[in-house]
Amino acid sequence: MTTAEMTKKELKLSKMADNLESSPILVLSKAVNEKIAAGENVFNLTVGDFNPKIFPIPTALTEEIISAYNAGLTNYPPTGGLPELKQAISRYVKRKGNMEYSTSEVTVTGGARPLIYGVYQTLLDPGDTVLFPVPSWNNHYYSHLAHCKQQMIETTAENNFMITADDLRPHIQSANLLALCSPQNPSGTCFTKEQLEDICDLVLEENNRRGPNEKPVYVLYDQIYWILTHGDVEHVNPVLLRPEIKDYTINIDGISKAFAATGVRIGWATGPEKIISKLGVVITHMGAWAPKPEQSACAKYLDREDEVDEYLTEMKKKISDRLNAFYNGFKALRQEGFKVDAISPQAAMYLTIQLDLVGLTPQGSSKLTNPKEVNEFILSKAGMALVPFYGFGASDDSSWFRLSVGTTSMKMIDQCLAKLKVALDELS
Ligand SMILES: Cc1ncc(COP(=O)(O)O)c(C=O)c1O
């Protein structure tokens, strides 16, 4: 036996890692990128990201980041974030969202992801139950990483894919965490005031029912897209609607989406001091701080109120022009008799569209039998890359898809809709 043979072992992983599903979205993105690399003309509408050439970060933020590096701010940042950034965040959420959080109720990390991971770790024990709607973004991964049970509830187009108190009621007594997101990824839709009030009342009623030594139901409220509402849509937050729920609510936020700064990596959570301070410790052990120069730059930038407002007005206009162009295009195709539809865009850079094409047959090919085949047909014939809602946990037969405009120029939209029409025309 050679030495190499003697030492060869099966590389066993933890059960958690072994059972961690790979993301269908990443698999899809890989297929799309391969097509692009092979020179195919693909409209990549899959990513929850921005093309920096179309959506650059604010120039003033870039300048502040460079000067922070030049000033040598390259050692460890303090646990929970630079005090001046926490102060700036506290002012920013008050000014833009009317939310009152002191600096001890704010913690900063490298983007929003570590916060969500950290909240699960801070609040939940193995075997606890996380209640969340589907389609939704990544809750099944975070609950898996925290060894929790998952209670998923499928939402419907009738409610714009936003969960209601009636949907949640049968499950609330067994829940330890209710994970909500508004504006929601993937649907680009928001809770109405009434919908969210009813959910808050349900949570408060449940927490009043529980004994003093029982863990309450916590609410993780992911509002990373809240600044990006369109038209007359208003973002709502549990704490503003029902102040009593502040004790149980952790808000997730950051600059990734509002300022097209997904690669800059600044996220923050606001919530009760006890939870926020422990969350800061959990994050410290992960080393998932936001880079110090970016923190310093963000602190200075958020206080430049006029520049921030000017940037956000422009950002929102660019996104909503694109969403409306796609929305109108889908509605026009529907009027022409094609089996497609769209939900009026409310927020973020996502449009919910329907391709109800199962049962139809492309020329010279066999019948489309499921949404996966519909997706492949649209990609190959219209060059349109979308994410099916089943990629976000909806059922496999859901005919709804997410269309992201973060990498789209206005010119591309007409070309894309024209190609889609040709593809739809060949179905019988
Ligand atoms: C709903 C939602 N929350 C959080 C995040 C993570 O944001 P970040 O890039 O700041 O980690 C995303 C990213 O796509 C998201 O869609």
Side-chain angles (χ1 to χ4, degrees), residues 234-370:
E234 272 187 35
H235 170 69
V236 285
N237 178 281
V239 171
L240 292 179
L241 298 180
R242 294 285 184 267
E244 315 89 277
I245 212 167
K246 195 170 182 184
D247 284 350
Y248 313 115
T249 304
I250 302 94
N251 300 299
I252 303 294
D253 198 354
I255 65 168
S256 295
K257 311 292 175 165
F259 298 96
T262 50
V264 177
R265 310 311 297 148
I266 305 269
W268 61 82
T270 50
E273 189 173 340
K274 176 173 175 183
I275 297 172
I276 289 294
S277 110
K278 191 59 96 180
L279 176 60
V281 176
V282 170
I283 300 289
T284 290
H285 293 307
M286 291 158 59
W289 307 290
K292 193 171 177 181
E294 277 77 351
Q295 289 197 41
S296 166
C298 188
K300 293 195 174 121
Y301 178 68
L302 287 180
D303 277 341
R304 295 194 189 186
E305 297 183 2
D306 293 344
E307 281 172 63
V308 166
D309 291 349
E310 202 181 308
Y311 177 90
L312 291 175
T313 305
E314 167 80 9
M315 173 79 177
K316 282 174 26 157
K317 180 172 180 338
K318 276 161 68 177
I319 297 178
S320 64
D321 284 351
R322 285 161 175 74
L323 290 172
N324 286 331
F326 267 121
Y327 174 74
N328 293 333
F330 271 83
K331 285 292 181 191
L333 288 169
R334 186 174 175 78
Q335 285 252 303
E336 287 179 51
F338 295 109
K339 292 179 79 182
V340 299
D341 206 351
I343 293 182
S344 176
Q346 296 186 343
M349 67 279 208
Y350 306 124
L351 184 70
T352 291
I353 60 163
Q354 189 181 33
L355 299 169
D356 194 9
L357 310 179
V358 168
L360 299 177
T361 310
Q363 256 165 33
S365 182
S366 43
K367 199 186 272 187
L368 300 172
T369 59
N370 57 47

Side-chain angles (χ1 to χ4, degrees), residues 48 111-113 116 137 181 185 222 224-225 256-257 262 265 350:
R113 280 172 172 82
I116 303 175
W137 182 82
C181 177
N185 181 5
D222 184 344
I224 190 94
Y225 298 96
S256 295
K257 311 292 175 165
T262 50
R265 310 311 297 148
Y350 306 124

Side-chain angles (χ1 to χ4, degrees), residues 172-217:
I172 197 75
Q173 290 199 1
S174 56
N176 302 97
L177 179 72
L178 172 58
L180 301 175
C181 177
S182 181
Q184 186 169 253
N185 181 5
S187 57
T189 52
C190 303
F191 282 124
T192 62
K193 180 169 171 284
E194 293 71 27
Q195 262 174 337
L196 190 58
E197 276 172 348
D198 288 350
I199 293 175
C200 291
D201 290 341
L202 180 71
V203 170
L204 289 169
E205 195 185 301
E206 172 59 18
N207 284 342
N208 286 336
R209 189 192 66 81
R210 292 188 189 186
N213 296 324
E214 267 183 284
K215 209 188 246 182
V217 190

